[in-house]
Amino acid sequence: MTDRISVRTLFFGVYGELAARREGSAELAADSTVADLVDSLRGPGGLDWLPESVVVAVNQNYAEAGTTLSDGDEVALIPPVAGG
Amino acid sequence: MTDRISVRTLFFGVYGELAARREGSAELAADSTVADLVDSLRGPGGLDWLPESVVVAVNQNYAEAGTTLSDGDEVALIPPVAGG
Amino acid sequence: MPQGSADRVRTWITRESLDDFAQFEDIVGEVGSVEDGALLFFQGRVRRTNRGRAVSRLEYEAYGEMAERELSAICHEALEQFDVGSVAAAHRVGDLALGEVSVAIAVTSAHRDDGYRASRWIIETIKVRLPIWKHEHYENGESHWVGAPTPEAGASTGGSRFG
Amino acid sequence: MPQGSADRVRTWITRESLDDFAQFEDIVGEVGSVEDGALLFFQGRVRRTNRGRAVSRLEYEAYGEMAERELSAICHEALEQFDVGSVAAAHRVGDLALGEVSVAIAVTSAHRDDGYRASRWIIETIKVRLPIWKHEHYENGESHWVGAPTPEAGASTGGSRFG
């Protein structure tokens, strides 16, 4: 039996609208990366509209695609920001 | 008998301090220019400290050395400005 | 006499109005000093016309805690990069009407050049880093998330890997 | 709807305090519009340290009527040169204490780049054109007209023609 981790997912701005949810959770294999999570979100019946280079924050810091996730992480999908 | 004109002279900032007066008047030949006035002010016992390129305003507009003066003009000697 | 960096920065994300100059005047009074010869105060406001469309109102959504942290980080970076005395910056979230202030930045500095440059750098950096999104509502009833790809464009690039 | 240039500029030279932000907030409310997405407010203040000397107070002398006209002319030129909505600018004269505001400039514009550039252009132009002189008084009791040649330097170039 493989070790699994669970992460909390957040969808902001237009992503929240397109995903029809602002929050969710995902189960992943241990040692999964940000890229693995995004791929699983894009999977069959999923968020196939997510752009190629989606910006992600892990625990409220901008993160690279290769960043390894840990159980309990908060992962936010960040559409193009438009403050100011 | 030559036509004469009379102009009002104003000395601002450090010029007022060095000239020991803020206002004065000068009598000049008709058709005198700004440069003629400045030369007469610099004359014997006069304001020999006036710099080579003194800035002058005639009737509250910056004026060139060659500007011809008229009777009753207000001529201000403008030291380096330092507003702001 | 020497002030720590923390004493010279104030930042916040808020649902309350930022329209009033007075709150920034008060902060500058607290964090500025008589060594500051210049104050630069910038306000971004909801403009009626954006890219040719008539805006009726705006909605700003923020990733709240991250936005607080990023805004503070940006202003502390400004204090390190520019010769400025103090920085105060705030960003609105929620519903904004036309003319309301969405972002305000006050910078004090010994010399004005540093103030102009720091103020400009802060607003430009906010626009690329602060996790805040703008939902524009138009007079014709439509709305748009500013900067978002259209759904078609999104679909055409979806499903592939990170670039 | 279209406003004349005169309706969008306010300038004055004054012995009264300019420290309060509120008077500029009021003016911007009068002359600005909902087409302005940016407001830039600049204050120049009396700084304690100038060129390494400890300033105790300042005295500004103005060529009153000419200063009024030049300040108005500068701001109208800004309105022509930059894409800005409104401009308000004021300059103090008389005695100023440390920390007091000597000059204040408010610019509103549709886009922030025009506001930053116009604000900066106005203060730089004020500094070269406005007929106002600054008499700095120092803590050691000395004083100096800023920008003035020293008496010795003046004497050495005096007596000759225009350059």
Side-chain angles (χ1 to χ4, degrees):
Chain A
M1 184 181 149
T2 325
D3 241 12
R4 304 287 287 174
I5 60 168
S6 172
V7 300
R8 184 174 170 227
T9 50
L10 300 176
F11 305 91
F12 286 102
V14 70
Y15 293 172
E17 193 172 293
L18 293 170
R21 63 180 186 273
R22 330 274 316 155
E23 292 193 35
S25 62
E27 290 249 325
L28 298 159
D31 299 325
S32 289
T33 63
V34 163
D36 295 330
L37 170 64
V38 173
D39 279 348
S40 82
L41 289 171
R42 282 206 191 95
L47 316 180
D48 60 358
W49 41 262
L50 274 175
E52 200 163 340
S53 302
V54 65
V55 175
V56 171
V58 176
N59 299 329
Q60 299 168 21
N61 290 301
Y62 288 112
E64 302 294 320
T67 302
T68 303
L69 296 172
S70 303
D71 191 57
D73 278 352
E74 177 178 299
V75 185
L77 278 73
I78 311 263
V81 302
Chain B
M1 187 181 146
T2 325
D3 242 12
R4 303 288 286 173
I5 60 168
S6 172
V7 300
R8 185 174 169 227
T9 50
L10 300 176
F11 304 92
F12 286 102
V14 71
Y15 293 172
E17 192 172 293
L18 292 170
R21 62 178 186 274
R22 330 270 321 153
E23 291 194 33
S25 63
E27 290 249 323
L28 298 159
D31 299 326
S32 290
T33 63
V34 164
D36 294 331
L37 170 64
V38 173
D39 279 348
S40 81
L41 289 171
R42 281 205 192 97
L47 315 180
D48 60 357
W49 41 261
L50 275 175
E52 199 162 340
S53 303
V54 65
V55 175
V56 170
V58 176
N59 299 330
Q60 300 168 21
N61 289 300
Y62 288 112
E64 301 295 318
T67 302
T68 303
L69 296 172
S70 302
D71 191 57
D73 277 351
E74 176 178 298
V75 185
L77 277 73
I78 310 264
V81 301
Chain C
M1 200 72 170
Q3 291 177 293
S5 150
D7 302 325
R8 299 189 286 135
V9 173
R10 297 274 191 289
T11 58
W12 69 107
I13 307 287
T14 180
R15 295 194 165 270
E16 306 296 315
S17 172
L18 292 172
D19 293 7
D20 197 358
F21 283 35
Q23 56 189 317
F24 283 86
E25 186 171 12
D26 292 344
I27 292 171
V28 169
E30 286 168 28
V31 297
S33 89
V34 287
E35 296 299 347
D36 298 327
L39 167 104
L40 244 292
F41 181 50
F42 171 81
Q43 286 182 334
R45 296 167 170 221
V46 180
R47 198 171 62 238
R48 190 213 304 267
T49 312
N50 199 16
R51 275 158 292 200
R53 304 190 69 172
V55 173
S56 58
R57 66 184 181 88
L58 284 190
E59 216 184 312
Y60 281 96
E61 179 184 340
Y63 185 3
E65 289 175 84
M66 182 175 170
E68 296 268 8
R69 286 168 54 165
E70 280 291 315
L71 185 56
S72 174
I74 289 167
C75 292
H76 280 94
E77 285 170 39
L79 214 61
E80 283 171 25
Q81 285 186 44
F82 302 93
D83 189 8
V84 298
S86 70
V87 177
H91 202 295
R92 273 291 289 282
V93 289
D95 294 315
L96 275 75
L98 292 187
E100 283 199 272
V101 172
S102 53
V103 59
I105 302 163
V107 175
T108 66
S109 54
H111 302 286
R112 66 187 180 285
D113 185 57
D114 301 298
Y116 276 98
R117 291 194 300 127
S119 174
R120 189 72 197 266
W121 182 86
I122 291 168
I123 182 62
E124 300 304 329
T125 306
I126 281 175
K127 286 188 171 266
V128 296
R129 268 174 54 183
L130 206 62
I132 291 189
W133 300 274
K134 179 161 40 180
H135 202 182
E136 279 186 346
H137 296 262
Y138 306 104
E139 284 185 0
N140 67 1
E142 294 178 1
S143 69
H144 174 65
W145 285 98
V146 174
T150 59
E152 311 81 62
S156 73
T157 59
S160 49
R161 291 212 140 259
F162 282 80
Chain D
M1 199 70 170
Q3 293 177 292
S5 150
D7 302 325
R8 300 189 285 138
V9 172
R10 295 275 191 287
T11 58
W12 68 105
I13 307 288
T14 179
R15 296 194 164 270
E16 306 297 314
S17 171
L18 293 172
D19 293 6
D20 197 358
F21 283 36
Q23 57 189 316
F24 283 86
E25 186 171 11
D26 292 344
I27 291 170
V28 169
E30 286 168 27
V31 297
S33 89
V34 289
E35 295 299 347
D36 297 327
L39 167 105
L40 243 292
F41 181 49
F42 170 81
Q43 286 183 333
R45 296 168 169 221
V46 179
R47 196 171 63 239
R48 189 212 304 267
T49 313
N50 199 17
R51 274 158 292 199
R53 306 191 68 172
V55 174
S56 58
R57 66 183 180 88
L58 284 189
E59 216 185 311
Y60 281 96
E61 179 184 341
Y63 186 1
E65 289 173 84
M66 183 175 169
E68 296 268 8
R69 287 169 53 164
E70 279 292 314
L71 185 57
S72 174
I74 289 167
C75 292
H76 280 93
E77 285 171 39
L79 215 61
E80 282 171 25
Q81 285 186 45
F82 302 93
D83 189 8
V84 298
S86 70
V87 176
H91 202 295
R92 272 290 288 282
V93 290
D95 292 316
L96 274 75
L98 291 187
E100 283 198 272
V101 172
S102 54
V103 60
I105 302 163
V107 175
T108 65
S109 54
H111 302 286
R112 68 187 178 285
D113 184 57
D114 301 299
Y116 276 98
R117 291 195 300 127
S119 174
R120 189 71 196 265
W121 182 86
I122 291 168
I123 183 62
E124 299 304 328
T125 306
I126 281 174
K127 286 189 171 268
V128 296
R129 267 175 54 183
L130 205 63
I132 290 191
W133 300 273
K134 178 158 44 178
H135 202 182
E136 278 186 345
H137 295 263
Y138 306 104
E139 284 185 0
N140 67 0
E142 294 177 0
S143 70
H144 175 66
W145 285 96
V146 174
T150 60
E152 311 81 64
S156 74
T157 59
S160 49
R161 290 215 143 258
F162 281 81

mmCIF file of all heavy atoms in Angstrom, chain A residues 35-53:
data_model
loop_
_atom_site.group_PDB
_atom_site.id
_atom_site.type_symbol
_atom_site.label_atom_id
_atom_site.label_comp_id
_atom_site.label_asym_id
_atom_site.label_seq_id
_atom_site.Cartn_x
_atom_site.Cartn_y
_atom_site.Cartn_z
ATOM 1 N N ALA A 35 3.677 19.993 -10.441
ATOM 2 C CA ALA A 35 3.311 19.598 -11.806
ATOM 3 C C ALA A 35 2.417 18.363 -11.792
ATOM 4 O O ALA A 35 1.455 18.266 -12.568
ATOM 5 C CB ALA A 35 4.561 19.332 -12.638
ATOM 6 N N ASP A 36 2.713 17.394 -10.901
ATOM 7 C CA ASP A 36 1.873 16.195 -10.801
ATOM 8 C C ASP A 36 0.440 16.553 -10.407
ATOM 9 O O ASP A 36 -0.533 16.024 -10.952
ATOM 10 C CB ASP A 36 2.442 15.225 -9.748
ATOM 11 C CG ASP A 36 3.807 14.666 -10.155
ATOM 12 O OD1 ASP A 36 4.053 14.527 -11.373
ATOM 13 O OD2 ASP A 36 4.617 14.380 -9.247
ATOM 14 N N LEU A 37 0.337 17.484 -9.445
ATOM 15 C CA LEU A 37 -0.996 17.910 -9.007
ATOM 16 C C LEU A 37 -1.752 18.549 -10.168
ATOM 17 O O LEU A 37 -2.927 18.227 -10.420
ATOM 18 C CB LEU A 37 -0.891 18.900 -7.840
ATOM 19 C CG LEU A 37 -2.207 19.599 -7.465
ATOM 20 C CD1 LEU A 37 -3.239 18.586 -6.952
ATOM 21 C CD2 LEU A 37 -1.983 20.698 -6.441
ATOM 22 N N VAL A 38 -1.083 19.459 -10.896
ATOM 23 C CA VAL A 38 -1.761 20.151 -11.992
ATOM 24 C C VAL A 38 -2.194 19.146 -13.051
ATOM 25 O O VAL A 38 -3.315 19.205 -13.569
ATOM 26 C CB VAL A 38 -0.852 21.254 -12.579
ATOM 27 C CG1 VAL A 38 -1.471 21.855 -13.835
ATOM 28 C CG2 VAL A 38 -0.594 22.343 -11.543
ATOM 29 N N ASP A 39 -1.337 18.174 -13.371
ATOM 30 C CA ASP A 39 -1.705 17.132 -14.342
ATOM 31 C C ASP A 39 -2.943 16.374 -13.884
ATOM 32 O O ASP A 39 -3.843 16.094 -14.677
ATOM 33 C CB ASP A 39 -0.544 16.148 -14.526
ATOM 34 C CG ASP A 39 0.504 16.698 -15.503
ATOM 35 O OD1 ASP A 39 0.204 17.707 -16.178
ATOM 36 O OD2 ASP A 39 1.601 16.124 -15.574
ATOM 37 N N SER A 40 -2.990 16.030 -12.584
ATOM 38 C CA SER A 40 -4.141 15.267 -12.097
ATOM 39 C C SER A 40 -5.406 16.109 -12.152
ATOM 40 O O SER A 40 -6.493 15.600 -12.427
ATOM 41 C CB SER A 40 -3.880 14.737 -10.680
ATOM 42 O OG SER A 40 -4.131 15.746 -9.717
ATOM 43 N N LEU A 41 -5.257 17.420 -11.914
ATOM 44 C CA LEU A 41 -6.431 18.306 -12.000
ATOM 45 C C LEU A 41 -6.937 18.402 -13.431
ATOM 46 O O LEU A 41 -8.135 18.523 -13.692
ATOM 47 C CB LEU A 41 -6.088 19.714 -11.489
ATOM 48 C CG LEU A 41 -5.867 19.844 -9.982
ATOM 49 C CD1 LEU A 41 -5.317 21.220 -9.645
ATOM 50 C CD2 LEU A 41 -7.159 19.589 -9.217
ATOM 51 N N ARG A 42 -5.993 18.319 -14.396
ATOM 52 C CA ARG A 42 -6.361 18.418 -15.810
ATOM 53 C C ARG A 42 -6.961 17.120 -16.350
ATOM 54 O O ARG A 42 -7.552 17.135 -17.423
ATOM 55 C CB ARG A 42 -5.116 18.728 -16.649
ATOM 56 C CG ARG A 42 -4.637 20.151 -16.626
ATOM 57 C CD ARG A 42 -3.878 20.460 -17.914
ATOM 58 N NE ARG A 42 -3.178 21.739 -17.791
ATOM 59 C CZ ARG A 42 -1.918 21.873 -17.424
ATOM 60 N NH1 ARG A 42 -1.199 20.801 -17.133
ATOM 61 N NH2 ARG A 42 -1.376 23.062 -17.347
ATOM 62 N N GLY A 43 -6.810 16.038 -15.633
ATOM 63 C CA GLY A 43 -7.186 14.698 -16.093
ATOM 64 C C GLY A 43 -8.618 14.592 -16.614
ATOM 65 O O GLY A 43 -9.350 15.573 -16.626
ATOM 66 N N PRO A 44 -9.030 13.405 -17.044
ATOM 67 C CA PRO A 44 -10.337 13.169 -17.680
ATOM 68 C C PRO A 44 -11.484 13.821 -16.891
ATOM 69 O O PRO A 44 -11.599 13.623 -15.692
ATOM 70 C CB PRO A 44 -10.461 11.650 -17.653
ATOM 71 C CG PRO A 44 -9.051 11.149 -17.588
ATOM 72 C CD PRO A 44 -8.274 12.187 -16.837
ATOM 73 N N GLY A 45 -12.278 14.618 -17.580
ATOM 74 C CA GLY A 45 -13.409 15.299 -16.937
ATOM 75 C C GLY A 45 -12.974 16.442 -16.043
ATOM 76 O O GLY A 45 -13.779 17.015 -15.321
ATOM 77 N N GLY A 46 -11.671 16.788 -16.106
ATOM 78 C CA GLY A 46 -11.135 17.797 -15.187
ATOM 79 C C GLY A 46 -10.990 19.167 -15.820
ATOM 80 O O GLY A 46 -11.705 19.510 -16.760
ATOM 81 N N LEU A 47 -10.031 19.922 -15.293
ATOM 82 C CA LEU A 47 -9.857 21.327 -15.664
ATOM 83 C C LEU A 47 -8.963 21.440 -16.886
ATOM 84 O O LEU A 47 -7.842 21.945 -16.818
ATOM 85 C CB LEU A 47 -9.267 22.096 -14.472
ATOM 86 C CG LEU A 47 -9.902 21.775 -13.105
ATOM 87 C CD1 LEU A 47 -9.238 22.597 -11.998
ATOM 88 C CD2 LEU A 47 -11.398 22.034 -13.118
ATOM 89 N N ASP A 48 -9.475 20.954 -18.045
ATOM 90 C CA ASP A 48 -8.625 20.885 -19.235
ATOM 91 C C ASP A 48 -8.318 22.253 -19.822
ATOM 92 O O ASP A 48 -7.517 22.373 -20.734
ATOM 93 C CB ASP A 48 -9.256 19.969 -20.296
ATOM 94 C CG ASP A 48 -10.617 20.469 -20.722
ATOM 95 O OD1 ASP A 48 -11.075 21.495 -20.167
ATOM 96 O OD2 ASP A 48 -11.221 19.840 -21.613
ATOM 97 N N TRP A 49 -8.943 23.290 -19.278
ATOM 98 C CA TRP A 49 -8.684 24.657 -19.755
ATOM 99 C C TRP A 49 -7.509 25.307 -19.031
ATOM 100 O O TRP A 49 -7.121 26.432 -19.339
ATOM 101 C CB TRP A 49 -9.936 25.531 -19.560
ATOM 102 C CG TRP A 49 -10.611 25.264 -18.256
ATOM 103 C CD1 TRP A 49 -11.684 24.458 -18.044
ATOM 104 C CD2 TRP A 49 -10.206 25.742 -16.973
ATOM 105 N NE1 TRP A 49 -12.000 24.408 -16.711
ATOM 106 C CE2 TRP A 49 -11.105 25.187 -16.024
ATOM 107 C CE3 TRP A 49 -9.193 26.570 -16.512
ATOM 108 C CZ2 TRP A 49 -11.000 25.441 -14.653
ATOM 109 C CZ3 TRP A 49 -9.089 26.828 -15.160
ATOM 110 C CH2 TRP A 49 -9.991 26.253 -14.246
ATOM 111 N N LEU A 50 -6.923 24.633 -18.047
ATOM 112 C CA LEU A 50 -5.794 25.247 -17.331
ATOM 113 C C LEU A 50 -4.654 25.512 -18.315
ATOM 114 O O LEU A 50 -4.269 24.622 -19.068
ATOM 115 C CB LEU A 50 -5.293 24.320 -16.224
ATOM 116 C CG LEU A 50 -6.002 24.402 -14.862
ATOM 117 C CD1 LEU A 50 -5.462 23.332 -13.913
ATOM 118 C CD2 LEU A 50 -5.851 25.787 -14.224
ATOM 119 N N PRO A 51 -4.106 26.728 -18.320
ATOM 120 C CA PRO A 51 -3.075 27.042 -19.311
ATOM 121 C C PRO A 51 -1.782 26.256 -19.070
ATOM 122 O O PRO A 51 -1.562 25.719 -17.990
ATOM 123 C CB PRO A 51 -2.846 28.538 -19.133
ATOM 124 C CG PRO A 51 -3.323 28.850 -17.762
ATOM 125 C CD PRO A 51 -4.415 27.870 -17.449
ATOM 126 N N GLU A 52 -0.987 26.219 -20.107
ATOM 127 C CA GLU A 52 0.249 25.454 -20.089
ATOM 128 C C GLU A 52 1.127 25.836 -18.894
ATOM 129 O O GLU A 52 1.601 24.981 -18.151
ATOM 130 C CB GLU A 52 0.996 25.715 -21.397
ATOM 131 C CG GLU A 52 2.019 24.675 -21.741
ATOM 132 C CD GLU A 52 2.409 24.789 -23.229
ATOM 133 O OE1 GLU A 52 1.628 25.385 -24.002
ATOM 134 O OE2 GLU A 52 3.486 24.303 -23.570
ATOM 135 N N SER A 53 1.328 27.158 -18.718
ATOM 136 C CA SER A 53 2.174 27.619 -17.610
ATOM 137 C C SER A 53 1.286 28.199 -16.521
ATOM 138 O O SER A 53 1.131 29.408 -16.428
ATOM 139 C CB SER A 53 3.133 28.708 -18.071
ATOM 140 O OG SER A 53 3.931 28.249 -19.098
#
